[in-house]
Amino acid sequence: MLTREDNELICRTGPGTPMGDLFRRFWLPLTVSSALPEPDCPPIRAKLLGESLIAFRDSSGKVGVIDRNCPHRLADLFFGRNEEHGLRCSYHGWKFDVAGNCVDMPTETPESTFRQKVRVKSYPAQDHGGVIWVYMGPSYLRPELPEFEWALVPETHRLVTCWLQDSNYLQAVEGDFDSAHVSFAHRWFNQQSIPAVRRVPRRLAGAGDALTNLDTAPKLTVKETEYGFVYGSRRIAPEGQYYWRVSQFLLPVWSLIPGPNWPRTGHAWFPVDDEHCMAFQYSCNPEEPLTEDQIARLKASPDHPYWTAHELRDGTIIDTWYPRRHRLNDYLIDRDLQRTATYTGIASGREQDMALTDGMGRIPERWREHLGTTDIAIIALRRLLIRLARQLQAGREPAAAHNGAAYRVRPIDILSDIHDFGTLYDKHADLAVAGT
Amino acid sequence: MLTREDNELICRTGPGTPMGDLFRRFWLPLTVSSALPEPDCPPIRAKLLGESLIAFRDSSGKVGVIDRNCPHRLADLFFGRNEEHGLRCSYHGWKFDVAGNCVDMPTETPESTFRQKVRVKSYPAQDHGGVIWVYMGPSYLRPELPEFEWALVPETHRLVTCWLQDSNYLQAVEGDFDSAHVSFAHRWFNQQSIPAVRRVPRRLAGAGDALTNLDTAPKLTVKETEYGFVYGSRRIAPEGQYYWRVSQFLLPVWSLIPGPNWPRTGHAWFPVDDEHCMAFQYSCNPEEPLTEDQIARLKASPDHPYWTAHELRDGTIIDTWYPRRHRLNDYLIDRDLQRTATYTGIASGREQDMALTDGMGRIPERWREHLGTTDIAIIALRRLLIRLARQLQAGREPAAAHNGAAYRVRPIDILSDIHDFGTLYDKHADLAVAGT
Amino acid sequence: MLTREDNELICRTGPGTPMGDLFRRFWLPLTVSSALPEPDCPPIRAKLLGESLIAFRDSSGKVGVIDRNCPHRLADLFFGRNEEHGLRCSYHGWKFDVAGNCVDMPTETPESTFRQKVRVKSYPAQDHGGVIWVYMGPSYLRPELPEFEWALVPETHRLVTCWLQDSNYLQAVEGDFDSAHVSFAHRWFNQQSIPAVRRVPRRLAGAGDALTNLDTAPKLTVKETEYGFVYGSRRIAPEGQYYWRVSQFLLPVWSLIPGPNWPRTGHAWFPVDDEHCMAFQYSCNPEEPLTEDQIARLKASPDHPYWTAHELRDGTIIDTWYPRRHRLNDYLIDRDLQRTATYTGIASGREQDMALTDGMGRIPERWREHLGTTDIAIIALRRLLIRLARQLQAGREPAAAHNGAAYRVRPIDILSDIHDFGTLYDKHADLAVAGT
């Protein structure tokens, strides 16, 4: 549980909030690069940390992320015309480049110097690993891009998708540090019912999720690192062994999911505003291109979100992918499937999570929780974020933001007879190093 | 009229409010029993007095009414799996019985005692008269179930329906203590236009609603009783007689509607939250089973509400019956029908009421009212509720809650030459006693 | 820009606000007369300056504008029956005439005097120029109707339309005092793409909007008058001439749009509440009836709004025309059209404006603006409204309200070699006088 005060501190990310300041020290993913598919394509509407933004790709292919409203009279720049190295407001023709400079102001005479004094709020942005990243903090603290393995491999070796979720970011992030829920929310107790596209090859032939199912009360150990923390979850496995899953949490809200095979996957959820978050899912195989079958499988969870203009709770409209299964259709729960095959009655992993985390309320009342021994990594996650947010308010910057190389790590999925996490992690340190 | 303060006092029913405390001294109807048709059927979402709840029927047929959120990490128990004497949260597999006990906690080791310390908030619930009742007050004050005649007759002799309305509860309840509106809102001034299914046999052959129409300014007398109050409305009738309608108000918000024939009907409206209420309509014939024709007639008003997941104003989704005619389609008002046959232009009695009471605003500004002589019973109703709510805050419990037998009463519909209500009521006291 | 305080002052128009008081000194258009097409037609729901109202036309053709809720118990008078010189509440049959008198009260006995004491809030209303006007201020200050030319010509010589917009009134009004945006928002840079119905005959053969396009930085001069102000915008034109557009602002929020030909058009936007406004567009040819082609053209911008019951942000439902292109469908923006023919990508002038002004936010944050030399008339507009609102609070009434004849003016559209606005306006004073 959290006190009401700590819950407020960790959930609120608008301008001027402690947690919002912490997020503003990192490069943040705004959307996937393909949302702006080519130079001079239409601009899109976004929201990040409660700020309404317009993203556009200029004639040279560079991405601009600027205030949604024209600084002249606040017209919506979504209706702007993306033309020759700038976005032109269609109200009075003021034109801005990706850096926020006003490069044309036809309402003033040629001798006027007003144009040079006007800028639209703009944030540095760049394409990296198939994602558009934006930095919303002070320019003198500009961080390094995180050197995620999935972002560094060739484009053919990865898939990144994103979609909107109807909750605060934190409960969504917590799901990735919750090893125990894999044994329930994602369990198929009738293998025959798993749709083909969702069947995952596993280490134990024919066992499906058997290793997580055998022991539903994993033991967790957390160890802080420069990028965030690494944690190991230990389950009892057959023949005197342990099934170890070792995952990383990387600031501000990234996670790597262990698995026995390539491709490997991970997630992050960033605050759109305090009642919505944008999910990012990336998968990569550093050794070879993803196969068509793997891509189809990855796109099936969540189930092919669709691109749409979506109205947020406060009336803001943004352009985003939105899931086909969502809160207003009960994520298409199938009570027969729930009875016969999988606990949630929902046939896709990401929607299983969404139903459960959206259902906590837009901002959960964490003072009503009852945490157990399997929630150790979630507790560590919250404590770390709260501590870093407080430290930042006291003037201490987060080191991870300035060490992109620290993000070159891999999760581990292994059977071992080692009992102690420290010993295991030391022995298999090489498995945790990204190859690229 | 009410002062702003009294209006606030009587309309607000969330946890910790005086009126909310008063409601929490009684057994309250949550929904009809058929919403949970069989053991281990899917759970449903409800809201009562502003509290979000899950109702489920366990393997033995017992009903559980519990907090909507799992006490572990607040996942939505609507996505829970109803199995073998308990509802299992599909996030981590914690399982709860109808009493709120955690009966399985697979995330902890067998030797852990954590499970015994965790409970989900749960309220006593029971089936009674085709309705699921719940008690949300202190356990040491647990009341008696009200012994309504309609709840005690065989199942074949009654029909209970419920549906959601888009207003505070009070204005809906007031409608049942408003004898005068029968002469207008429910009047057909062109009998030929009444749909067959809505034609009600009346005492005066061929006269339809003639007795209420002859005198539109009834004289009202109110007399308090242990269960609430009884009131008589007197209209001038032909041949020197009076047409007397004697109705009961039973705490907290029940009413019995007089009529010359079986089946007889009554209503209650309970607060879902302060901007929505759940209507209950019951009819019974203590002497014989309802006929198919009677059932068809009762189901036609309101006009066959449909079962749906419905989003409330605050974003909560509940499972409920919702009327086909509602605020967003103007209750399908027909201006021709209004011109030629019935004042509202709406062909069904309950929707006539809904249009008029929903239209007062979610919470009406009662300080703007101008009450007349026909509003005496409404004034008595408000005064009684406010007084009991205040008395409860001062430590005095409402006696009616502990006397289920007091609810064995019947309304009276009679022609008489008696002028005085006291005399009439004493003379016909036997008619006011329920038969069962 | 405006300070937050001034922005609040000028945008808020509910009862008791300074700007709301100023509006309440004038006759205000509620809707077009055809919304109440004949005596005893169905009543309609409206909202003006944040007050919920019902408008109805009685048996003699007179219009009543009254409180939406019956003074008895606040039932919605939209469900009332419009019959024989009054609107009868369908709850208890109380009946009101257009002046707000209760003319029948069947719930009381004939000898009761209660009826004489009850009134429904009612505002003076009248048909004038195809519009229903209402006066919501103190009766002893009742103003004169504005003698607009379009209101005085024969019915065949004018067209008035109205529709709802999703923003505060002010940004919509400002658009009419923004000569510069004509050169961008409304510009067709590919004449071939203009839909036939939107092609406007212009002074320069084949030049389309050429005169506004030649000089995108017009020079503005503002001159206050009794009715508000007149302003001239001067653009450089070919052959050593200036293209002068002279427009009037008439209190509280009217504007006349210059143009070289009949019919001429103008607009006003009145606050429905602070987050919605009602647009009025009038056109007239004082010399002869509008042609079918002209009417078709006028109805195409906005593109044939449809009559509907529309839910406002606060849940109030009103009866209004609503645009087919609106915020939830991005005004049907066409990015190809934007690339090839017109800056907004929206093919209709009024929707071009709507997209841009709705997009500023329901209430724009004007403290974030950067105003330039072409915003002089907008600045004058704001200053005048704020000054008049403050003066009224100090006890000084706006003179324009009591001089209907002052509204007999015309805008001017002329080519001239005169450089100075004062000189131009004095020389062509006759062109600014309405003919009727």
Side-chain angles (χ1 to χ4, degrees):
Chain A
M1 54 155 286
L2 288 179
T3 61
R4 284 170 191 256
E5 293 69 28
D6 280 354
N7 197 49
E8 196 73 8
L9 178 85
I10 199 169
C11 289
R12 299 286 175 191
T13 62
T17 60
M19 195 63 207
D21 285 349
L22 184 61
F23 270 107
R24 284 174 177 79
R25 289 308 190 263
F26 294 86
W27 281 101
L28 309 175
L30 185 75
T31 187
V32 291
S33 296
S34 58
L36 295 175
E38 59 188 17
D40 293 332
C41 62
I44 61 172
R45 293 163 288 195
K47 204 168 184 183
L48 186 54
L49 305 179
E51 300 186 37
S52 284
L53 302 168
I54 291 289
F56 68 103
R57 193 177 293 280
D58 77 3
S59 308
S60 70
K62 267 188 278 184
V63 174
V65 174
I66 61 177
D67 193 355
R68 176 139 174 199
N69 298 105
C70 178
H72 177 207
R73 287 203 37 245
L74 312 178
D76 189 346
L77 288 169
F78 171 70
F79 297 107
R81 186 168 185 262
N82 191 6
E83 56 173 46
E84 288 166 50
H85 299 281
L87 186 68
R88 189 184 292 279
C89 178
S90 57
Y91 205 9
H92 299 92
W94 293 18
K95 182 171 163 182
F96 303 93
D97 69 12
V98 295
N101 301 302
C102 184
V103 294
D104 192 21
M105 189 184 272
T107 51
E108 301 291 322
T109 52
E111 59 277 17
S112 164
T113 58
F114 187 45
R115 180 176 68 74
Q116 284 80 357
K117 292 176 200 147
V118 171
R119 292 179 49 79
V120 68
K121 183 175 75 174
S122 112
Y123 293 122
Q126 48 190 312
D127 291 282
H128 169 60
V131 166
I132 294 173
W133 300 75
V134 60
Y135 171 62
M136 299 168 69
S139 59
Y140 66 96
L141 289 170
R142 186 162 165 160
E144 292 187 7
L145 277 168
E147 298 175 13
F148 285 113
E149 185 167 28
W150 59 263
L152 300 174
V153 298
E155 203 177 336
T156 51
H157 291 43
R158 74 165 162 257
L159 185 74
V160 187
T161 55
C162 71
W163 64 89
L164 189 73
Q165 289 189 200
D166 288 306
S167 82
N168 189 263
Y169 79 99
L170 183 61
Q171 64 234 66
V173 173
E174 288 170 344
D176 266 2
F177 300 91
D178 180 359
S179 193
H181 89 284
V182 178
S183 307
F184 283 89
H186 301 322
R187 182 175 184 166
W188 289 88
F189 48 80
N190 179 345
Q191 296 294 319
Q192 266 63 52
S193 298
I194 306 179
V197 79
R198 302 192 205 288
R199 267 179 223 151
V200 186
R202 291 283 169 173
R203 183 178 290 107
L204 300 180
D209 305 282
L211 283 174
T212 50
N213 296 353
L214 281 179
D215 180 356
T216 59
K219 297 298 145 297
L220 305 190
T221 312
V222 172
K223 177 177 144 58
E224 284 203 17
T225 63
E226 180 170 6
Y227 56 74
F229 63 74
V230 59
Y231 83 109
S233 84
R234 190 190 71 209
R235 281 178 169 85
I236 292 166
E239 300 173 24
Q241 290 212 290
Y242 295 111
Y243 171 42
W244 277 100
R245 290 166 61 86
V246 179
S247 307
Q248 287 85 359
F249 165 69
L250 305 109
L251 287 164
V253 285
W254 296 94
S255 61
L256 304 179
I257 310 291
N261 304 304
W262 297 114
R264 280 187 203 144
T265 289
H267 306 109
W269 287 265
F270 283 85
V272 169
D273 57 21
D274 295 341
E275 297 192 321
H276 306 80
C277 61
M278 191 67 73
F280 288 84
Q281 178 167 270
Y282 52 86
S283 299
C284 84
N285 183 345
E287 296 169 2
E288 56 187 6
L290 297 180
T291 65
E292 279 189 27
D293 177 64
Q294 286 165 342
I295 290 172
R297 193 182 306 263
L298 290 165
K299 288 189 170 171
S301 184
D303 186 7
H304 299 81
Y306 60 100
W307 181 253
T308 186
H310 184 84
E311 189 179 19
L312 304 178
R313 290 257 291 170
D314 69 355
T316 310
I317 296 168
I318 65 168
D319 299 301
T320 187
W321 280 272
Y322 194 73
R324 292 178 191 279
R325 297 163 177 255
H326 53 73
R327 60 188 288 276
L328 291 177
N329 63 17
D330 295 338
Y331 308 86
L332 303 178
I333 188 171
D334 175 338
R335 294 288 183 184
D336 273 339
L337 194 70
Q338 180 176 48
R339 212 164 21 79
T340 58
T342 186
Y343 285 110
T344 57
I346 298 168
S348 160
R350 292 290 69 74
E351 285 94 336
Q352 289 162 355
D353 287 330
M354 266 185 255
L356 293 161
T357 56
D358 288 0
M360 293 170 180
R362 295 273 173 177
I363 297 185
E365 301 179 334
R366 288 192 176 77
W367 54 91
R368 295 173 52 211
E369 292 179 328
H370 294 78
L371 301 184
T373 50
T374 56
D375 298 308
I376 283 176
I378 288 171
I379 294 168
L381 167 72
R382 295 175 184 176
R383 282 191 186 149
L384 180 60
L385 287 176
I386 290 173
R387 193 178 76 224
L388 290 175
R390 290 218 171 100
Q391 285 177 349
L392 180 58
Q393 295 304 303
R396 186 157 151 204
E397 294 291 328
H402 300 285
N403 187 354
Y407 288 75
R408 292 174 173 260
V409 292
R410 283 181 182 169
I412 306 175
D413 178 288
I414 197 171
L415 285 164
S416 165
D417 56 8
I418 298 177
H419 180 85
D420 173 66
F421 176 58
T423 311
L424 178 99
Y425 191 63
D426 287 347
K427 177 169 174 197
H428 294 293
D430 57 316
L431 293 179
V433 178
T436 311
Chain B
M1 53 155 286
L2 288 179
T3 61
R4 285 170 191 256
E5 294 68 29
D6 280 355
N7 197 48
E8 195 73 8
L9 178 85
I10 199 168
C11 289
R12 300 286 175 191
T13 62
T17 59
M19 196 63 208
D21 285 349
L22 183 62
F23 270 108
R24 284 172 177 80
R25 289 307 190 265
F26 293 86
W27 281 101
L28 309 174
L30 186 74
T31 186
V32 291
S33 296
S34 59
L36 294 175
E38 59 187 18
D40 294 333
C41 63
I44 61 172
R45 293 164 288 195
K47 203 168 184 182
L48 185 53
L49 306 180
E51 300 187 37
S52 284
L53 303 167
I54 292 289
F56 69 103
R57 192 178 294 280
D58 78 3
S59 308
S60 70
K62 266 188 279 185
V63 173
V65 174
I66 61 177
D67 193 355
R68 177 139 174 199
N69 299 105
C70 177
H72 176 206
R73 289 205 35 247
L74 312 178
D76 189 346
L77 288 169
F78 171 70
F79 297 106
R81 186 168 185 263
N82 191 7
E83 56 172 46
E84 287 167 49
H85 298 282
L87 186 68
R88 189 184 292 280
C89 178
S90 58
Y91 205 9
H92 299 92
W94 293 18
K95 182 171 164 181
F96 303 93
D97 68 12
V98 295
N101 301 302
C102 184
V103 294
D104 192 20
M105 188 184 272
T107 52
E108 300 292 322
T109 52
E111 59 276 17
S112 164
T113 58
F114 187 46
R115 180 176 68 74
Q116 285 79 357
K117 292 174 201 148
V118 171
R119 292 178 49 80
V120 68
K121 182 175 76 174
S122 111
Y123 294 122
Q126 48 191 311
D127 290 282
H128 169 60
V131 166
I132 294 173
W133 301 75
V134 60
Y135 171 63
M136 298 168 69
S139 58
Y140 65 95
L141 289 170
R142 185 162 165 160
E144 291 186 7
L145 277 167
E147 297 175 14
F148 286 112
E149 185 166 28
W150 59 264
L152 300 174
V153 298
E155 202 177 338
T156 51
H157 290 44
R158 73 165 161 256
L159 184 74
V160 187
T161 55
C162 70
W163 65 89
L164 189 73
Q165 288 188 201
D166 287 306
S167 81
N168 188 264
Y169 79 99
L170 183 61
Q171 64 234 67
V173 173
E174 288 170 344
D176 267 2
F177 300 90
D178 181 0
S179 194
H181 88 283
V182 177
S183 307
F184 283 89
H186 302 321
R187 181 175 184 166
W188 289 88
F189 47 81
N190 179 344
Q191 297 294 319
Q192 267 61 53
S193 298
I194 306 179
V197 79
R198 302 192 205 288
R199 268 180 222 149
V200 185
R202 292 281 170 173
R203 183 177 293 108
L204 301 180
D209 305 281
L211 283 174
T212 49
N213 296 352
L214 280 179
D215 179 356
T216 58
K219 296 298 145 299
L220 305 191
T221 312
V222 172
K223 176 177 142 61
E224 283 203 18
T225 63
E226 179 170 6
Y227 55 75
F229 63 74
V230 60
Y231 82 109
S233 84
R234 190 190 72 210
R235 282 178 168 86
I236 293 166
E239 300 173 24
Q241 290 212 292
Y242 294 111
Y243 171 41
W244 277 100
R245 291 166 62 86
V246 179
S247 307
Q248 288 85 359
F249 164 70
L250 306 108
L251 287 164
V253 284
W254 296 94
S255 62
L256 304 179
I257 310 292
N261 304 304
W262 297 115
R264 279 187 203 145
T265 290
H267 305 110
W269 287 266
F270 282 85
V272 169
D273 57 22
D274 294 341
E275 297 191 321
H276 306 80
C277 62
M278 191 67 73
F280 288 84
Q281 177 166 271
Y282 51 86
S283 300
C284 84
N285 183 345
E287 296 169 2
E288 55 188 6
L290 298 180
T291 65
E292 279 188 29
D293 177 65
Q294 286 165 341
I295 290 172
R297 192 182 307 261
L298 290 166
K299 287 189 169 170
S301 184
D303 186 8
H304 299 82
Y306 60 99
W307 181 251
T308 186
H310 184 84
E311 190 178 19
L312 304 178
R313 289 256 293 169
D314 69 355
T316 309
I317 297 167
I318 66 168
D319 300 301
T320 188
W321 281 272
Y322 194 72
R324 292 178 192 279
R325 295 164 178 254
H326 52 74
R327 59 188 288 277
L328 291 177
N329 63 17
D330 294 339
Y331 309 86
L332 303 177
I333 188 172
D334 176 337
R335 296 287 183 183
D336 273 341
L337 194 69
Q338 181 176 47
R339 213 162 23 78
T340 58
T342 187
Y343 285 110
T344 57
I346 298 169
S348 160
R350 292 290 70 72
E351 286 94 335
Q352 289 163 356
D353 287 330
M354 266 185 255
L356 293 160
T357 56
D358 289 0
M360 293 170 181
R362 296 273 173 178
I363 297 185
E365 301 180 334
R366 288 193 177 76
W367 53 93
R368 295 173 52 211
E369 291 177 329
H370 294 77
L371 301 183
T373 51
T374 55
D375 298 308
I376 283 176
I378 288 172
I379 294 168
L381 166 72
R382 296 175 185 177
R383 281 192 186 148
L384 180 60
L385 286 176
I386 290 173
R387 193 178 77 223
L388 290 176
R390 290 218 171 100
Q391 285 177 349
L392 181 58
Q393 295 304 303
R396 186 157 151 205
E397 294 292 328
H402 300 284
N403 187 353
Y407 288 75
R408 293 175 174 260
V409 292
R410 282 182 183 169
I412 306 174
D413 179 288
I414 197 170
L415 285 164
S416 166
D417 56 8
I418 299 178
H419 180 86
D420 173 66
F421 175 59
T423 311
L424 178 99
Y425 191 63
D426 286 347
K427 177 169 174 197
H428 294 292
D430 58 316
L431 293 179
V433 178
T436 311
Chain C
M1 55 155 284
L2 288 179
T3 61
R4 285 171 191 257
E5 293 68 29
D6 280 355
N7 198 48
E8 196 72 9
L9 178 85
I10 199 169
C11 289
R12 300 285 176 192
T13 62
T17 60
M19 195 63 207
D21 285 350
L22 183 62
F23 270 107
R24 284 173 177 79
R25 289 306 189 266
F26 294 87
W27 281 100
L28 309 174
L30 186 75
T31 186
V32 291
S33 296
S34 59
L36 295 175
E38 59 187 17
D40 293 334
C41 61
I44 61 172
R45 293 163 288 195
K47 204 168 184 182
L48 185 54
L49 305 179
E51 300 187 38
S52 285
L53 303 167
I54 291 289
F56 69 103
R57 193 179 293 280
D58 78 2
S59 308
S60 70
K62 267 188 278 183
V63 174
V65 174
I66 61 176
D67 193 355
R68 176 139 175 199
N69 298 106
C70 177
H72 176 208
R73 286 202 40 244
L74 312 178
D76 190 346
L77 288 169
F78 171 70
F79 297 107
R81 187 168 184 262
N82 192 6
E83 56 171 47
E84 287 167 50
H85 298 283
L87 186 67
R88 188 184 292 280
C89 178
S90 58
Y91 206 9
H92 299 92
W94 292 19
K95 182 172 164 181
F96 303 93
D97 67 13
V98 294
N101 301 302
C102 185
V103 294
D104 191 20
M105 189 184 271
T107 52
E108 299 292 322
T109 51
E111 59 276 17
S112 164
T113 59
F114 188 46
R115 181 176 68 74
Q116 285 80 357
K117 292 177 201 146
V118 171
R119 293 178 49 80
V120 67
K121 182 176 75 175
S122 111
Y123 293 123
Q126 48 189 312
D127 291 281
H128 169 60
V131 166
I132 294 173
W133 301 74
V134 60
Y135 171 62
M136 299 168 69
S139 58
Y140 65 97
L141 290 169
R142 186 162 165 160
E144 292 187 7
L145 276 169
E147 297 175 14
F148 286 113
E149 184 166 29
W150 59 263
L152 300 174
V153 298
E155 202 176 338
T156 51
H157 290 43
R158 72 164 162 258
L159 184 74
V160 187
T161 55
C162 70
W163 64 89
L164 189 73
Q165 289 189 200
D166 287 306
S167 81
N168 188 265
Y169 79 100
L170 183 61
Q171 64 234 68
V173 173
E174 288 170 344
D176 266 3
F177 299 91
D178 180 359
S179 193
H181 89 284
V182 177
S183 307
F184 283 90
H186 301 323
R187 180 175 185 168
W188 289 87
F189 47 81
N190 179 344
Q191 297 294 319
Q192 267 61 52
S193 298
I194 306 179
V197 78
R198 301 191 207 289
R199 268 180 222 151
V200 185
R202 293 280 169 175
R203 184 177 291 108
L204 300 180
D209 305 281
L211 284 174
T212 50
N213 296 353
L214 280 179
D215 180 356
T216 59
K219 296 300 145 298
L220 305 191
T221 312
V222 171
K223 177 177 143 59
E224 284 204 16
T225 62
E226 179 170 5
Y227 56 75
F229 63 75
V230 59
Y231 82 111
S233 83
R234 189 190 72 210
R235 283 178 168 86
I236 292 165
E239 300 174 23
Q241 291 211 291
Y242 294 111
Y243 171 41
W244 278 99
R245 290 166 63 86
V246 178
S247 308
Q248 287 86 0
F249 165 69
L250 306 108
L251 287 164
V253 285
W254 296 94
S255 61
L256 304 179
I257 309 292
N261 304 304
W262 297 115
R264 280 188 203 143
T265 289
H267 305 111
W269 286 266
F270 283 85
V272 169
D273 58 22
D274 294 341
E275 298 192 320
H276 306 79
C277 61
M278 192 67 73
F280 289 83
Q281 177 167 271
Y282 51 87
S283 300
C284 84
N285 183 344
E287 297 169 2
E288 55 187 5
L290 298 180
T291 65
E292 278 190 28
D293 176 65
Q294 285 165 342
I295 290 172
R297 193 182 307 262
L298 290 165
K299 288 189 170 171
S301 185
D303 186 7
H304 299 82
Y306 60 100
W307 181 253
T308 185
H310 184 84
E311 189 178 18
L312 304 178
R313 291 256 292 170
D314 69 355
T316 310
I317 296 167
I318 64 168
D319 300 300
T320 187
W321 281 273
Y322 194 73
R324 292 179 192 279
R325 297 163 178 256
H326 53 73
R327 60 187 288 276
L328 290 178
N329 63 18
D330 294 338
Y331 308 86
L332 302 177
I333 187 172
D334 176 337
R335 294 289 182 183
D336 273 340
L337 194 70
Q338 181 176 48
R339 212 161 24 77
T340 59
T342 187
Y343 285 110
T344 57
I346 298 168
S348 160
R350 292 289 71 72
E351 286 93 337
Q352 289 162 355
D353 287 330
M354 266 185 256
L356 293 160
T357 56
D358 289 0
M360 294 171 180
R362 296 274 174 178
I363 297 185
E365 301 179 335
R366 288 192 176 75
W367 53 92
R368 294 173 53 211
E369 292 178 328
H370 294 77
L371 300 184
T373 50
T374 55
D375 298 309
I376 283 176
I378 289 172
I379 293 168
L381 167 72
R382 296 175 184 176
R383 281 193 186 146
L384 180 60
L385 287 177
I386 289 173
R387 193 177 76 224
L388 290 176
R390 289 218 171 99
Q391 285 177 349
L392 180 58
Q393 295 305 302
R396 187 158 151 205
E397 295 291 328
H402 300 284
N403 187 354
Y407 288 75
R408 293 174 174 261
V409 292
R410 282 182 183 169
I412 306 175
D413 178 288
I414 197 170
L415 284 164
S416 166
D417 56 8
I418 299 177
H419 180 86
D420 173 65
F421 175 60
T423 311
L424 178 99
Y425 191 64
D426 286 348
K427 177 169 176 197
H428 294 293
D430 57 316
L431 293 178
V433 178
T436 311

